[in-house]
């Protein structure tokens, strides 16, 4: 990654001028830490396609064990990325704020991944 950064267009970087206060930086860091796992990003992608999904639907969609998925869902819910509601025996998850999906736009446009 370091070599890649040396090759970047410096003029493009100079035009970026975002300033965030400490509390916003802390919140962004917390969100990025929480999302920094492929399973959690896959959960976001699944909830991008469907507004809400049950744990059973996510298990099938992501082809993952229930215990591992539950761990990731709990972490995402605790950090305010997901919300849940129980209907009978099923727990349904949805995004707490759909603007979190802009992370995919950022990932696609930053040039770090192709």
């Amino acid at each position: 990654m370091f070599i890649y950064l040396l090759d970047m267009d410096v003029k493009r970087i100079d035009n970026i001028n975002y300033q965030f206060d400490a509390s916003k930086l802390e919140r962004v860091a917390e969100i990025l830490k929480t999302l920094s796992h492929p399973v959690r990003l896959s959960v976001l992608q699944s909830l991008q396609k469907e507004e809400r999904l049950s744990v059973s639907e996510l298990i099938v969609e992501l082809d993952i064990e229930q215990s591992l998925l539950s761990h990731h869902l709990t972490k995402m819910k605790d950090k305010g990325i997901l919300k849940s509601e129980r209907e009978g025996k099923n727990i349904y998850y949805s995004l707490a704020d759909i603007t979190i999906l802009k992370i995919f736009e950022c990932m696609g446009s930053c040039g770090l991944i192709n």
Side-chain angles (χ1 to χ4, degrees), residues 24-68:
K24 285 186 182 179
L25 288 174
E26 191 172 318
R27 177 65 181 142
V28 168
E30 197 64 38
I31 290 168
L32 292 175
K33 266 196 302 190
T34 303
L35 294 179
S36 66
H37 193 283
V39 169
R40 295 177 193 160
L41 290 170
S42 295
V43 168
L44 284 187
Q45 282 188 317
S46 295
L47 291 171
Q48 183 176 23
K49 293 183 271 182
E50 297 288 330
E51 189 172 314
R52 72 181 205 146
L53 290 168
S54 69
V55 174
S56 300
E57 291 168 325
L58 284 165
I59 289 169
V60 170
E61 171 114 8
L62 302 178
D63 191 25
I64 188 173
E65 292 182 24
Q66 186 270 331
S67 59
L68 182 59

Side-chain angles (χ1 to χ4, degrees), residues 97-109:
D97 183 349
I98 62 168
T99 58
I100 193 71
L101 296 174
K102 289 186 177 193
I103 191 79
F104 295 118
E105 188 179 318
C106 292
M107 288 167 44
S109 66

Side-chain angles (χ1 to χ4, degrees), residues 73-97:
L73 292 173
T74 299
K75 183 103 171 170
M76 294 172 76
K77 184 180 174 190
D78 289 347
K79 298 300 180 179
I81 293 169
L82 298 180
K83 59 184 178 179
S84 68
E85 66 181 280
R86 179 179 288 279
E87 288 183 14
K89 293 182 180 180
N90 293 315
I91 298 175
Y92 289 88
Y93 284 88
S94 58
L95 299 171
D97 183 349

Side-chain angles (χ1 to χ4, degrees), residues 5 7-19:
L5 291 175
D7 293 338
M8 291 180 74
D9 181 1
V10 176
K11 290 179 187 173
R12 203 176 93 200
I13 293 173
D14 287 341
N15 292 332
I16 298 173
N17 188 19
Y18 296 111
Q19 296 295 315

